[in-house]
Amino acid sequence: MKIKTLIVDDEVRGSQALAKLLERYPEIELLGAAHSADEGIATIQRLKPDLVFLDIQMPGKTGFDMLNAMPEVKFEVIFVTGYDQYAIQAFKFGAIDYLLKPVDIDDLDYSVEKVIDRIKKKDTNHSIELLLQNIRTPKNENMQLALPTQEGVFYIPISEIIRCESDGSYTVFHFSDKKKIIVSKNVKEYEELLTPYSFCRVHNQHLVNLRHVKKYVKGEGGFAIMSDNYEVEVARRRKEDFLAELGKITIR
């Protein structure tokens, strides 16, 4: 099986270097390169690739603008970008494949293998739709988080997450509908991701959604009673920060 592939990058040298790296994959059939968002749209409509390596920062229109301008995205995307904290956060929310420039060959191997596997299995990739939706509504309670598990990727509104519980190198997500999802990433990674969205680490074991705190019970550290009536211990050293952040939220 050949995977028809296109590079969209305004930097000619960058696209040439990536094209050279892609020669190592017999499954990849490189169709060529486009050097602007508008050229990318036209080339995609003409050649109908299975996979697009897409630069974000391009003059005129960004890679996000290009995807937004398309009626539908029927291809896989691997973003190629310089370090951009907002973009990286958006990718992590949507479990999006991305590569940092200059491209590391091990990272490229990992991303290409994942994409090849998805294409072979004919998995529908909702991650791009989620990414674009989240970019249109940044720092909004309606944002969704992609949670990759052994059973597949779950797309969950962050407003439905009550708390995240550490279980070694895993994180257990507890939701308002009483369901649980276990993800093979540690809670520290989700703490960094969700803290700007009214989440607070109150204990080594727990990251809570402050909008789901129903009551605080005073004590040395105290307890937070969540909307599902679960009592979460607040560590003494985290109590001051927790109460300060909780005071910014309208408690339900």
Side-chain angles (χ1 to χ4, degrees):
M1 182 185 73
K2 289 288 186 179
I3 296 172
K4 296 187 294 181
T5 302
L6 179 70
I7 298 171
V8 180
D9 190 336
D10 66 295
E11 298 177 0
V12 175
R13 285 187 180 179
S15 59
Q16 289 174 340
L18 179 56
K20 187 69 177 174
L21 291 176
L22 291 176
E23 291 177 0
R24 63 191 271 117
Y25 307 103
E27 301 93 339
I28 297 290
E29 178 188 349
L30 187 59
L31 304 176
H35 300 297
S36 70
D38 288 335
E39 185 185 353
I41 292 170
T43 308
I44 288 168
Q45 290 174 338
R46 180 167 53 88
L47 298 180
K48 296 179 172 51
D50 304 304
L51 169 63
V52 174
F53 285 87
L54 179 60
D55 187 21
I56 296 175
Q57 303 296 335
M58 294 186 288
K61 293 179 182 175
T62 67
F64 297 145
D65 293 332
M66 188 197 88
L67 293 175
N68 263 321
M70 304 197 68
E72 54 185 343
V73 178
K74 288 187 172 181
F75 48 87
E76 293 284 340
V77 178
I78 297 176
F79 288 95
V80 185
T81 178
Y83 185 76
D84 181 301
Q85 186 57 48
Y86 173 69
I88 299 306
Q89 186 183 50
F91 296 153
K92 287 182 177 179
F93 256 92
I96 296 289
D97 293 301
Y98 67 93
L99 299 167
L100 293 176
K101 295 180 179 180
V103 174
D104 177 83
I105 193 65
D106 290 334
D107 292 341
L108 180 62
D109 282 345
Y110 180 70
S111 292
V112 169
E113 285 173 12
K114 282 205 301 181
V115 166
I116 289 173
D117 186 57
R118 282 202 301 268
I119 290 174
K120 283 181 178 177
K121 291 179 178 177
K122 296 183 179 178
D123 283 349
T124 302
N125 187 4
H126 298 290
S127 295
I128 296 300
E129 298 168 22
L130 175 59
L131 171 71
L132 296 176
Q133 177 184 324
N134 285 346
I135 286 172
R136 295 183 196 115
T137 57
K139 293 202 174 180
N140 186 302
E141 197 180 347
N142 294 322
M143 287 184 69
Q144 294 189 64
L145 178 64
L147 298 177
T149 72
Q150 291 183 337
E151 293 77 32
V153 181
F154 293 85
Y155 300 91
I156 307 292
I158 61 173
S159 60
E160 294 180 9
I161 302 169
I162 295 177
R163 60 190 172 92
C164 309
E165 183 178 3
S166 175
D167 184 9
S169 58
Y170 292 83
T171 300
V172 182
F173 284 79
H174 298 264
F175 301 101
S176 53
D177 61 2
K178 299 185 179 179
K179 289 183 180 177
K180 294 193 297 186
I181 292 177
I182 300 174
V183 180
S184 59
K185 292 182 180 180
N186 64 47
V187 76
K188 177 66 177 175
E189 184 165 340
Y190 289 105
E191 178 186 1
E192 294 172 355
L193 198 59
L194 292 170
T195 293
Y197 302 88
S198 302
F199 282 72
C200 182
R201 187 77 174 268
V202 297
H203 190 278
N204 285 343
Q205 201 78 13
H206 296 286
L207 172 70
V208 303
N209 185 343
L210 294 170
R211 298 185 184 279
H212 278 278
V213 175
K214 190 166 67 173
K215 182 180 179 181
Y216 171 67
V217 179
K218 293 180 180 179
E220 189 174 356
F223 291 87
I225 300 178
M226 308 305 294
S227 59
D228 60 355
N229 293 318
Y230 186 87
E231 293 185 5
V232 177
E233 181 183 355
V234 178
R236 183 175 58 180
R237 66 187 180 87
R238 297 180 186 269
K239 176 180 176 179
E240 187 176 338
D241 287 342
F242 165 66
L243 292 177
E245 291 303 314
L246 187 61
K248 300 174 185 178
I249 302 295
T250 302
I251 301 177
R252 293 181 178 181

